[in-house]
Amino acid sequence: MLFLHPRSSRHHSLLRIHIKFLSTISSQHLHLPLSFPTYMIWGSNTSLGKTLISTGLASSFLLSPRTTNKTPKFVYLKPIQTGFPSDSDSHFVFSKLSSLASLRSSSLSLSASNSVLNSSLSAANSLFGDDSKTKGRNLGIYNLNFSEENRFVKDGVNVVSELVCETLYAWKEAVSPHLAAEKENGVVEDSVVLETLEKCLRKEEDIKVEEMDVFCVVETAGGVASPGPSGTLQCDLYRPFRLPGVLMGDGRLGGISGTISAYESLKLRGYDIVAVVLEDHGLVNEVPLLSYLRNRVPVIVLPPVPQDMSNDLVEWFGDSNEAFNSLKEIMISTFSERILRLNDMAKKAVHTLWWPFTQHKLVPEEAVTVIDSRCGENFAIYKVQGNQFITQQFDGCASWWTQGPDATLQTELAREMGYTAARYGHVMFPENVYEPVLECAQLLLEGVGKGWASRTYYSDNGSTAIEIALKMAFRKFSFDNGLLLDFANSNRTDKSVQLKVLALKGSYHGDTLGAMEAQAPSSYTGFLQQPWYTGRGLFLDPPTVSMSNNKWNLSLPEGMHCENMIKKDTNFSTRDEIFDKSRDKSDLTGVYSSYISQKLLQYLGLKESIHVGALIIEPVIQGAGGMLMIDPLFQRVLVSECRSRNIPVIFDEVFTGFWRLGTESAAELLGCLPDISCFAKLMTGGVIPLAATLASDAVFDSFLGESKLKALLHGHSYSAHAMGCSAAAKSIKWFKDPQTNHNIISGRRLLRELWNAELVQQISSHPSVERVIALGTLFALELRAEGHNVGYASLYARSLLQKLREDGVYMRPLGNVIYVMCGPCTSPEICTSLLIKLYTRLEEFTQVQQGSC
């Protein structure tokens, strides 16, 4: 239930509209039961015998002698069926098991049912024999609800095995599902197929494990890469579930290649394949397959299937019984092992791992998040709440600010990196060139470095990219100001010159020792964390901008206030006004310029040997410092003042680069250019570490000389590793192409607005919220708090974030600042759903806080 404040009926109705809208998108996040084994049955091609595997497993599970008194239940699900009703795999399993049960001499009983839930109108009419039941309908999917049942009960038998067969969607044409769906006007979206499949699986979730033994298979249609009804390849369609699978290989001539290709397609997408099954065609295909799989995956061979269409296969299933029993045991034992691993992970983690930025005493075993996999922007989380299950959580941290891919790009990156690893492995970088490193460098210089950068220097993470940038800047400053000449003439010693940085309070440039010296004192630099820290620079207190009570407001630090300041200079009706270059002509420009000049003059006057050799800033947003938005005008003036003093300018875009703030580079938002800039995180799409420091010609030229000692002597063993460069090149192109990223406003180098403006205003007016920032892929808010509840060490937001995780949103706080971050490709609808969940929990949070006062 929502608790809404009476102060705004417009926002009240607005939120209700959004909630109603969201219910049409997705009312729940994924909930996949793990209380029983569930496997996908894949085929390396069509017509190889997937349904024979399903039937054989059903026979083995239901009709074999039992060692327990539990009631066995086998669930066969066929999400997509074409050629219906003349061809129905669920009916085949149903009828064949009925036949096998009636012929078995053992004391086994069986209750069998088969249902077809939905079909195209053509398929429904063909089943009914006319259109009397579908009259008046000419489009879409018909709610068929066809069912049939059989029951074979032996005298004196207390345990009745149960077979449940269900076809979810059926079409008449015996062609690929995407063609059948198109021809019969019965296209079904991927999300609908998955939602229906999930409902079928959840029917079995509440079984009493001490009374019933359940086994479930989900059989695909055609081959691994056959399209589903929407056109999406089935290996991609079912990826959010990531169910383990069995692959029906091809025992015919040419089948080795097809089987390996199918296996690799599934592994590329992160599926676990527990066994490969082949029909024996006398070619011994299992031998080279076992060699290729290196015995990691068992290969099971079935007897040749009779070609006589009149053969009822009863004898064949009898001959195959041992093979199917073996396959069943492999599947059950693999499932049990998986559950044991998942159950043990949290306990092992708290005893073996050392997490960064984490106080372990505050993280009990039950608070550990067990991540089974990731699909696009969602974690698949393992949970135990009565039953075991997998659920989805939207990764609101964008995996620590690195992630951008949707599920499609995730697969593309996996393929690209696999190819690159196979082609290059790793090759050393100095004096060498290879295609990925060159392509990535060119894309960087033509993109985020366009108009100023001419060189790309690779490293492995953002912090080291910063250290490289500092070395570059200090050399450039020394070169421009004659310090190198003084050293060459032996007029000075190294220690007689102290090069410092000009930076901002609240900044954060990384965890390595040198990078920490370039940032102001903070929780990260104190004696507990960095006893060597001295803070080698002048750290200015910057003006910040944020939204509060529906308005954007400028907050000036002490010592920067001006009596002549007018309201229009400190209040903004829209965010765009903050970035408007016409502000450069305001009185505030003079105020900023005087403040910066005065601080520099005071600092440089302390000691003759002190020089400010570099300006380093995070353009627009300070991330780890608390998601603070720095006034763009102040940063422009700061850059201008440094330019007039020959101080090189470094932009730390490790966080802000590659569309994080709505533009490819935050420099575009700021409206000025650096001499040096650092990029990482989103650069590779977040799948592998890589960083780059871009520099201008003038910076590069300051390192040229006859001696190697004048070169930049900094590097890493994995500098410019091919896999990282390949991933970066793919991501950079993907994010900026309107064909692959539908959020790009064509021709404007800009993301469309992702965060609903009315909801942002609503949250900014919430009594528990101090300030809000919404820009690009970032939404952040500071909770109104006092005393020990304020600052990085605050635990104030913990209960709120726990509730959001229950809602399917994974978030981590920065003290009493919380944020949710999406990717450049995330749809505005998803962002809206995130804000509504956040607002709903904020209301509850406020009620709890008020009740505890």
Side-chain angles (χ1 to χ4, degrees):
M1 181 175 179
L2 289 176
F3 298 92
L4 293 163
H5 299 285
R7 63 179 181 272
S8 176
S9 60
R10 184 175 69 87
H11 285 309
H12 185 286
S13 59
L14 172 72
L15 204 56
R16 287 194 181 280
I17 291 170
H18 279 305
I19 292 171
K20 184 177 179 181
F21 164 70
L22 279 176
S23 67
T24 66
I25 300 174
S26 177
S27 58
Q28 295 182 357
H29 40 278
L30 173 69
H31 184 106
L32 193 65
L34 283 183
S35 49
F36 52 88
T38 303
Y39 283 88
M40 301 288 293
I41 306 297
W42 298 96
S44 58
N45 208 334
T46 190
S47 302
L48 290 178
K50 296 187 298 295
T51 310
L52 294 179
I53 292 180
S54 300
T55 308
L57 286 170
S59 174
S60 175
F61 188 76
L62 296 176
L63 305 183
S64 297
R66 305 291 298 177
T67 58
T68 70
N69 290 325
K70 292 183 181 181
T71 300
K73 182 177 184 178
F74 190 92
V75 179
Y76 170 87
L77 300 175
K78 182 77 174 183
I80 298 166
Q81 175 73 61
T82 58
F84 181 84
S86 59
D87 186 8
S88 172
D89 293 333
S90 64
H91 176 76
F92 179 90
V93 177
F94 164 77
S95 60
K96 196 58 60 180
L97 254 291
S98 298
S99 299
L100 292 173
S102 65
L103 294 171
R104 291 285 170 94
S105 58
S106 57
S107 56
L108 291 171
S109 296
L110 176 69
S111 173
S113 66
N114 175 44
S115 303
V116 183
L117 306 184
N118 307 282
S119 76
S120 67
L121 294 177
S122 299
N125 293 336
S126 182
L127 177 67
F128 298 140
D130 56 43
D131 65 352
S132 59
K133 294 187 179 182
T134 63
K135 205 166 184 178
R137 296 278 302 274
N138 56 11
L139 289 174
I141 291 294
Y142 180 73
N143 188 6
L144 190 65
N145 280 333
F146 167 83
S147 63
E148 53 186 335
E149 294 183 358
N150 270 329
R151 189 174 176 87
F152 303 92
V153 181
K154 304 287 179 67
D155 293 337
V157 176
N158 295 323
V159 177
V160 179
S161 300
E162 185 177 355
L163 171 68
V164 175
C165 300
E166 289 187 325
T167 297
L168 278 53
Y169 294 93
W171 293 263
K172 181 181 178 181
E173 291 279 337
V175 294
S176 180
H178 72 295
L179 294 176
E182 183 179 347
K183 286 183 178 181
E184 299 171 39
N185 293 318
V187 174
V188 181
E189 294 301 318
D190 297 348
S191 59
V192 176
V193 174
L194 293 178
E195 184 179 346
T196 308
L197 177 56
E198 181 186 345
K199 286 179 180 177
C200 291
L201 291 171
R202 293 191 68 175
K203 290 177 187 176
E204 315 303 328
E205 186 174 28
D206 295 328
I207 59 167
K208 295 181 179 180
V209 293
E210 65 276 8
E211 298 178 5
M212 183 166 282
D213 206 359
V214 177
F215 194 104
C216 179
V217 298
V218 180
E219 185 182 307
T220 60
V224 162
S226 294
S230 73
T232 301
L233 305 186
Q234 288 179 77
C235 50
D236 294 322
L237 166 59
Y238 297 113
R239 176 55 182 82
F241 287 8
R242 207 188 75 87
L243 292 168
V246 171
L247 175 63
M248 182 65 189
D250 193 344
R252 301 171 300 185
L253 184 63
I256 296 170
S257 176
T259 302
I260 291 174
S261 295
Y263 176 83
E264 292 296 341
S265 292
L266 293 169
K267 296 297 286 185
L268 176 74
R269 288 162 173 81
Y271 288 102
D272 296 322
I273 301 303
V274 304
V276 175
V277 181
L278 295 173
E279 179 191 349
D280 185 3
H281 284 269
L283 299 177
V284 202
N285 283 4
E286 65 273 15
V287 174
L289 283 174
L290 278 168
S291 176
Y292 177 80
L293 297 169
R294 301 184 186 279
N295 295 313
R296 292 185 300 250
V297 178
V299 178
I300 294 173
V301 181
L302 299 174
V305 179
Q307 298 302 303
D308 184 358
M309 297 299 292
S310 64
N311 192 303
D312 63 5
L313 299 181
V314 171
E315 184 177 347
W316 183 85
F317 277 108
D319 295 339
S320 306
N321 193 51
E322 186 177 342
F324 285 123
N325 285 340
S326 176
L327 177 60
K328 176 192 67 179
E329 293 305 320
I330 290 169
M331 296 166 76
I332 291 174
S333 64
T334 303
F335 167 76
S336 299
E337 290 165 7
R338 181 191 182 195
I339 297 302
L340 283 174
R341 287 197 308 272
L342 289 169
N343 284 332
D344 288 345
M345 284 176 69
K347 183 177 182 180
K348 289 181 177 179
V350 297
H351 292 295
T352 58
L353 302 180
W354 192 340
W355 289 301
F357 295 93
T358 300
Q359 175 50 259
H360 279 239
K361 280 206 167 186
L362 300 177
V363 186
E365 181 182 324
E366 59 271 16
V368 177
T369 300
V370 178
I371 302 176
D372 179 70
S373 64
R374 179 190 187 99
C375 184
E377 297 170 301
N378 297 308
F379 292 149
I381 304 294
Y382 174 71
K383 286 192 172 184
V384 180
Q385 292 175 356
N387 292 325
Q388 303 128 324
F389 60 94
I390 295 285
T391 187
Q392 277 185 345
Q393 287 183 355
F394 181 91
D395 179 8
C397 295
S399 279
W400 256 1
W401 316 350
T402 68
Q403 280 286 325
D406 53 18
T408 305
L409 178 54
Q410 182 177 342
T411 300
E412 290 287 329
L413 289 171
R415 182 185 297 110
E416 196 74 24
M417 291 169 62
Y419 163 77
T420 305
R423 180 177 174 183
Y424 294 104
H426 175 59
V427 293
M428 70 177 297
F429 182 44
E431 301 179 48
N432 296 327
V433 66
Y434 31 99
E435 285 183 0
V437 76
L438 191 57
E439 182 186 15
C440 181
Q442 290 173 331
L443 286 167
L444 288 168
L445 297 176
E446 294 166 3
V448 292
K450 188 174 183 178
W452 68 271
S454 64
R455 298 284 172 166
T456 302
Y457 201 100
Y458 289 105
S459 57
D460 56 355
N461 64 71
S463 186
T464 50
I466 293 295
E467 301 223 354
I468 291 164
L470 291 169
K471 289 185 177 181
M472 290 178 176
F474 290 152
R475 171 67 67 85
K476 174 69 164 56
F477 178 85
S478 300
F479 183 86
D480 289 345
N481 291 276
L483 299 182
L484 293 183
L485 185 62
D486 288 346
F487 288 134
N489 294 334
S490 301
N491 292 333
R492 297 178 184 233
T493 65
D494 287 3
K495 294 182 179 179
S496 65
V497 172
Q498 298 180 52
L499 291 180
K500 306 287 187 176
V501 299
L502 177 60
L504 303 181
K505 292 181 180 178
S507 63
Y508 178 85
H509 301 295
D511 299 325
T512 52
L513 297 182
M516 294 180 84
E517 287 295 308
Q519 57 202 48
S522 69
S523 302
Y524 308 110
T525 61
F527 185 83
L528 284 173
Q529 301 299 329
Q530 217 284 61
W532 282 1
Y533 174 78
T534 59
R536 306 188 189 195
L538 168 61
F539 304 108
L540 304 180
D541 200 358
T544 59
V545 188
S546 62
M547 176 182 275
S548 179
N549 292 320
N550 299 351
K551 293 182 180 179
W552 288 92
N553 303 299
L554 174 65
S555 177
L556 298 176
E558 291 185 20
M560 199 184 285
H561 291 280
C562 176
E563 294 181 2
N564 298 325
M565 194 77 64
I566 57 178
K567 190 172 182 180
K568 72 179 181 66
D569 288 334
T570 58
N571 297 104
F572 310 94
S573 57
T574 68
R575 190 188 60 208
D576 289 345
E577 290 180 16
I578 301 167
F579 293 99
D580 195 324
K581 290 291 288 290
S582 67
R583 294 183 63 214
D584 292 359
K585 299 176 182 178
S586 70
D587 293 338
L588 201 54
T589 299
V591 173
Y592 287 162
S593 180
S594 298
Y595 171 81
I596 294 164
S597 297
Q598 182 184 13
K599 292 293 184 181
L600 277 171
L601 187 63
Q602 291 173 353
Y603 185 70
L604 294 174
L606 294 175
K607 201 172 183 180
E608 184 182 353
S609 61
I610 291 179
H611 298 268
V612 173
L615 166 68
I616 180 168
I617 59 172
E618 298 165 88
V620 184
I621 296 289
Q622 291 182 335
M627 297 299 174
L628 296 169
M629 183 171 170
I630 310 303
D631 184 5
L633 174 60
F634 177 79
Q635 290 192 322
R636 280 200 299 273
V637 174
L638 188 56
V639 169
S640 178
E641 291 294 329
C642 289
R643 288 255 184 265
S644 68
R645 292 169 172 80
N646 279 337
I647 298 174
V649 176
I650 302 170
F651 283 1
D652 177 356
E653 291 219 50
V654 171
F655 168 54
T656 62
F658 298 105
W659 309 101
R660 180 57 72 205
L661 303 185
T663 54
E664 189 170 23
S665 165
E668 298 175 55
L669 280 177
L670 201 56
C672 58
L673 300 174
D675 300 295
I676 303 162
S677 198
C678 303
F679 296 91
K681 298 193 185 299
L682 254 174
M683 185 168 76
T684 64
V687 295
I688 192 169
L690 183 74
T693 305
L694 304 191
S696 66
D697 265 332
V699 173
F700 176 74
D701 289 345
S702 66
F703 286 85
L704 296 179
E706 300 302 321
S707 170
K708 185 175 182 179
L709 297 180
K710 276 198 80 174
L712 179 47
L713 304 181
H714 191 120
H716 308 274
S717 299
Y718 285 95
S719 288
H721 57 91
M723 289 175 65
C725 291
S726 182
K730 172 68 74 173
S731 298
I732 291 169
K733 290 185 288 186
W734 190 279
F735 290 147
K736 68 168 59 177
D737 185 351
Q739 298 297 315
T740 50
N741 182 2
H742 301 307
N743 288 332
I744 294 289
I745 301 175
S746 186
R748 291 191 59 192
R749 292 174 56 84
L750 192 69
L751 290 183
R752 61 176 168 166
E753 196 64 45
L754 300 178
W755 307 103
N756 181 275
E758 288 86 354
L759 282 170
V760 171
Q761 291 173 4
Q762 173 86 352
I763 293 172
S764 78
S765 301
H766 197 280
S768 290
V769 174
E770 183 70 28
R771 63 179 176 89
V772 159
I773 299 293
L775 184 62
T777 67
L778 170 68
F779 178 87
L781 66 84
E782 180 179 349
L783 292 171
R784 187 165 286 146
E786 297 176 348
H788 68 277
N789 287 327
V790 177
Y792 183 73
S794 168
L795 302 178
Y796 190 58
R798 174 181 275 194
S799 62
L800 172 61
L801 297 193
Q802 183 56 45
K803 292 295 185 181
L804 283 163
R805 290 187 185 186
E806 293 173 11
D807 292 338
V809 186
Y810 181 92
M811 296 167 65
R812 270 178 64 98
L814 291 165
N816 62 312
V817 173
I818 64 174
Y819 64 91
V820 59
M821 203 177 293
C822 65
C825 302
T826 307
S827 71
E829 291 79 13
I830 290 176
C831 293
T832 297
S833 73
L834 296 171
L835 291 186
I836 289 178
K837 289 177 180 179
L838 175 57
Y839 184 87
T840 305
R841 290 304 187 180
L842 268 173
E843 293 284 80
E844 295 179 7
F845 177 78
T846 303
Q847 296 287 330
V848 171
Q849 296 304 315
Q850 290 174 348
S852 63
C853 293

